[in-house]
Amino acid sequence: MEDAKQLVVAIARVLSAAVEMHDPYTAGHHERVAELTRAMGWELGLDVESLEKLYIAALIHDVGKIGLPVEILGKPCALERDEMKLIKMHPVLGYNLVRKAGLPQPIPEVIYQHHERLDGSGYPRGLKGDQIILEARVLAVADVVEAIVSNRPHRNALGLEAALYELSKNQGKLYDPRVVQVCVKLLSGERKGFLFSASPRISPDS
């Protein structure tokens, strides 16, 4: 049984690496998001099995980007409306991929929902509040934080202060306040040795 779990994680890492080969600007993104997501899930009291599934979902949350044109993913300026519509399809593509592969729930649904927002302004389904499962709300916050503190094709990294400001400004509107509280606690350094051991680029001390 343990061998099977390790195999699933290994395959998830292969898929994550494949996405990062397709979209080089996300190099390391999925592993960092997965580590932060798992740490937040632990703080929120998720059981071991739920944490394992959440970690796998976070590792491959962008797997749908494999189906998108490289030119759009790496475009060094703002996207056109039609290009943004394509980008917003990646949760759907990812959901379909992992569901067909037979990965258990809530992994497919977490991938489907990771760009949804509490006020309904997210995508692809415009879910609101408790329509968004807890695991997806956790992943959403981790994903946003890591994206802000990392370089992207159209901008340089904005830093941890910008990430914390985004969470503070939009908690209760876009992001689950309880999840934000846990994330801020972790990013403030109480467990930074554990959380950032493999990702110095987003260390609070950098």
Side-chain angles (χ1 to χ4, degrees), residues 43-127:
E43 292 287 339
L44 288 163
L46 295 183
D47 60 53
V48 173
E49 183 178 351
S50 296
L51 286 173
E52 289 173 348
K53 291 178 179 178
L54 178 56
Y55 180 75
I56 291 168
L59 273 178
I60 58 174
H61 68 275
D62 282 336
V63 67
K65 287 185 176 180
I66 289 175
L68 300 180
V70 176
E71 297 78 16
I72 293 179
L73 295 174
K75 190 174 180 180
C77 57
L79 297 177
E80 301 292 337
R81 181 177 296 179
D82 288 345
E83 293 171 333
M84 197 64 215
K85 283 183 179 179
L86 279 176
I87 290 290
K88 288 183 176 182
M89 285 299 296
H90 80 270
V92 180
L93 297 174
Y95 170 80
N96 289 334
L97 279 172
V98 300
R99 186 175 56 84
K100 287 177 182 177
L103 287 179
Q105 290 290 0
I107 295 172
E109 197 62 34
V110 174
I111 291 170
Y112 207 169
Q113 294 187 19
H114 77 277
H115 278 290
E116 302 288 357
R117 299 294 181 256
L118 291 185
D119 64 356
S121 63
Y123 61 88
R125 290 181 284 179
L127 302 180

Side-chain angles (χ1 to χ4, degrees), residues 118-196:
L118 291 185
D119 64 356
S121 63
Y123 61 88
R125 290 181 284 179
L127 302 180
K128 292 183 178 181
D130 290 340
Q131 292 177 321
I132 307 167
I133 60 175
L134 174 61
E135 291 91 340
R137 283 180 265 157
V138 174
L139 175 55
V141 169
D143 192 30
V144 164
V145 166
E146 206 287 329
I148 290 173
V149 301
S150 300
N151 293 315
R152 286 294 180 263
H154 60 286
R155 62 155 173 80
N156 292 325
L158 300 177
L160 185 61
E161 280 192 25
L164 294 176
Y165 176 73
E166 167 65 18
L167 296 183
S168 173
K169 180 178 70 171
N170 288 307
Q171 63 175 329
K173 178 184 177 183
L174 304 182
Y175 317 118
D176 185 315
R178 189 163 63 110
V179 175
V180 168
Q181 184 179 12
V182 166
C183 186
V184 170
K185 173 185 174 183
L186 290 168
L187 293 174
S188 296
E190 291 186 22
R191 296 177 61 188
K192 64 181 178 182
F194 161 74
L195 186 59
F196 297 106

